[in-house]
Amino acid sequence: MKTAVIYWSQTGNTEALAKAAAEGAGVTAQTVSEFSGNVEEFDAFAFGCPAMGAEVLEEEEFDPFFTSIEGKLSGKKVLLFGSYGWGDGEWMRNWQDRVTAAGAELVGGEGFIVNEAPSDDDLAKLKALAAQLA
């Protein structure tokens, strides 16, 4: 199964999560700007983005990328993850809705979120979830 871990991080919290997800999936994590693959050639994805502004995905780079590929996620396994510092996780619930509306299988049944920096326990949990992508 061909898997990609793609993320955007501002403070390093989501980057730490991406590295844990990549380890669990047995791949190398790539930032949005580094990813140059053809989405249709992959079977599974782990996408990571923190909550930004009024609980939205990062709007300059990540959301335009995700919008451009979400129509190609049908039938694929998708794991969502990210960190937040305020709010109640609305950005993740909205993102989950987009993924399931696209026809993808949401690994774990919901996105994986942490408040601020992930703990070692958080990283271990995400690594285990990402192993389901392999």
Side-chain angles (χ1 to χ4, degrees):
M1 191 174 265
K2 191 170 181 184
T3 302
V5 176
I6 305 166
Y7 73 97
W8 186 92
S9 184
Q10 182 173 9
T11 64
N13 293 337
T14 302
E15 180 179 16
L17 291 166
K19 288 179 179 178
E23 187 177 341
V27 298
T28 302
Q30 299 176 354
T31 64
V32 172
S33 61
E34 293 171 333
F35 181 76
S36 62
N38 179 349
V39 172
E40 294 166 346
E41 294 176 0
F42 289 82
D43 305 299
F45 292 93
F47 294 112
C49 187
M52 302 294 288
E55 286 212 68
V56 295
L57 296 173
E58 190 276 328
E59 297 174 289
E60 298 297 317
E61 193 173 2
F62 192 88
D63 191 51
F65 164 77
F66 190 78
T67 298
S68 75
I69 64 150
E70 70 184 295
K72 300 174 184 173
L73 297 177
S74 181
K76 299 182 187 295
K77 287 184 173 185
V78 174
L79 171 62
L80 302 177
F81 62 91
S83 62
Y84 69 104
W86 63 92
D88 67 357
E90 179 183 3
W91 107 100
M92 184 59 75
R93 291 189 299 276
N94 292 338
W95 197 10
Q96 291 168 187
D97 290 346
R98 289 173 70 178
V99 167
T100 56
E105 174 190 343
L106 192 59
V107 174
E110 61 185 6
F112 185 87
I113 61 175
V114 299
N115 191 316
E116 303 294 346
S119 67
D120 289 344
D121 187 49
D122 292 329
L123 297 173
K125 286 179 183 174
L126 182 57
K127 182 179 173 182
L129 273 174
Q132 297 177 37
L133 297 173

